[in-house]
Amino acid sequence: MKQNDWLPQPSKTLADWLINARHLLEPVTNQPGIEAQMVGAFVLQKSRSWIISHPEIELSASEESRMDSCLQQLIEGYPFAYLSGEREFYGRNFDVRPGLLVPRPETELLIEQAFDWLHNHPDRRLAVDVGCGTGCIAVTLAAEIHDMQIDAIDVDPLAIDMTIHNAKKHHVVHQIHVLSGDLLSNSPGRYDLICANLPYIPSDTLSDLPAARFEPLLALDGGIDGLRLIEKLLQQSQSYLRPGGLILLEIEASQGESAPSLVRKYFPTAQVTMHKDLADLPRLVSVQI
């Protein structure tokens, strides 16, 4: 695609613009129609359902210009969440800013497994979100289970600030203690549940990952095999997980065998289960001790 090939044809209606935008987004996303609608909703300050139900409206030159500008950035791989300043996760909107990993739908699998376990263990309500980022895991757990108490830990000051912000936004700041630390090294106690969506991308594959162009390498680079930080957390967890507790670790799809093998190195008697995502790919390891 040449530098200026992304430009859509002049449009008179929203429908015209959406058709052109969808065509141009097809090479760069698996949801071109939805992302085109999201751009329209963002620029016009309407809901996506409104965009879908009003294809006949005429766009002003200013509106079309702003939509074209957003479209160009998406085609270049810039995350839409950085444009809009927010991303939906488990039914809630979380504020996001450049420099932080954008919450992914795949991480909702971790939330679902956490809820299943917590509902079956009503006496277990002390959790930690290691590498909290935007706070989407900690805030969701707190918002859904009102007697949860959660430590949210990250080494990045920007993540610390955003987690506090999102905890206040969703009115759960009284349930979440946000800490600065290297994994569990600064943790004040022991936990029933340890959750972590740590950097797990092998270093030599980052150059092939579109997200690595704009999202922080600190939140993506998992070392040579992608398991460097996960192994460090497992080692620490031996001292920080309460008897009978649970660890939930999001992983990269290629680690479906290596990650469970690594878990057994540190928790040889634990029940280790691999969970697949909606694409039927390995995505989450649960460790029940």
Side-chain angles (χ1 to χ4, degrees):
M1 184 180 293
K2 297 178 181 178
Q3 184 173 2
N4 293 324
D5 283 351
W6 68 271
L7 289 170
Q9 298 300 313
S11 305
K12 291 184 179 180
T13 68
L14 177 58
D16 294 330
W17 189 91
L18 290 171
I19 291 170
N20 287 323
R22 175 172 182 155
H23 172 71
L24 293 163
L25 285 168
E26 283 176 354
V28 296
T29 176
N30 58 4
Q31 295 181 316
I34 291 176
E35 293 202 14
Q37 294 161 4
M38 289 167 63
V39 170
F42 170 60
V43 172
L44 300 179
Q45 293 296 288
K46 303 289 186 181
S47 67
R48 193 162 69 84
S49 61
W50 187 94
I51 295 296
I52 294 170
S53 61
H54 293 79
E56 76 288 348
I57 69 161
E58 294 187 3
L59 299 174
S60 69
S62 174
E63 289 168 342
E64 188 170 355
S65 176
R66 284 183 285 140
M67 288 163 68
D68 288 350
S69 177
C70 290
L71 177 61
Q72 180 184 17
Q73 292 184 74
L74 293 186
I75 290 170
E76 294 171 350
Y78 195 71
F80 181 78
Y82 289 169
L83 294 174
S84 65
E86 63 181 17
R87 179 66 174 259
E88 182 180 333
F89 180 83
Y90 213 79
R92 293 179 176 83
N93 283 332
F94 285 81
D95 288 350
V96 181
R97 68 178 66 168
L100 292 175
L101 188 71
V102 177
R104 262 70 169 180
E106 302 89 81
T107 305
E108 294 184 359
L109 177 61
L110 185 154
I111 294 292
E112 291 166 359
Q113 292 300 319
F115 287 156
D116 284 347
W117 188 80
L118 289 165
H119 288 148
N120 290 325
H121 297 81
D123 59 330
R124 302 283 192 156
R125 291 295 181 264
L126 295 177
V128 61
D129 174 13
V130 185
C132 55
T134 60
C136 62
I137 292 175
V139 169
T140 300
L141 290 175
E144 295 287 333
I145 302 181
H146 296 163
D147 58 345
M148 288 294 299
Q149 290 296 318
I150 306 164
D151 286 345
I153 302 175
D154 208 292
V155 71
D156 183 0
L158 184 60
I160 297 296
D161 291 344
M162 185 54 72
T163 295
I164 294 172
H165 170 85
N166 279 319
K168 291 178 178 177
K169 177 177 180 176
H170 293 288
H171 311 292
V172 293
V173 71
H174 60 290
Q175 293 174 253
I176 298 176
H177 182 209
V178 185
L179 302 167
S180 176
D182 180 12
L183 304 180
L184 292 172
S185 60
N186 198 32
S187 175
R190 303 177 76 194
Y191 303 99
D192 301 311
L193 173 64
I194 297 175
C195 300
N197 178 17
L198 295 173
Y200 53 65
I201 307 298
S203 300
D204 61 0
T205 66
L206 283 170
S207 60
D208 300 324
L209 189 69
R213 294 180 58 201
F214 299 102
E215 296 185 68
L217 292 179
L218 180 66
L220 296 169
D221 190 347
I224 294 175
D225 59 359
L227 295 171
R228 177 176 57 86
L229 289 174
I230 290 175
E231 179 168 17
K232 185 176 180 180
L233 176 63
L234 287 168
Q235 187 176 24
Q236 292 178 348
S237 296
Q238 294 174 107
S239 301
Y240 285 96
L241 186 66
R242 290 180 167 181
L246 180 72
I247 305 173
L248 294 173
L249 302 168
E250 184 169 325
I251 63 167
E252 202 242 2
S254 67
Q255 297 160 352
E257 295 183 3
S258 58
S261 176
L262 184 62
V263 168
R264 293 186 182 98
K265 174 182 175 181
Y266 294 97
F267 295 93
T269 63
Q271 179 182 340
V272 183
T273 306
M274 173 61 62
H275 304 274
K276 294 185 177 181
D277 60 22
L278 294 177
D280 201 34
L281 296 172
R283 186 58 59 192
L284 183 74
V285 178
S286 65
V287 186
Q288 173 72 66
I289 68 167

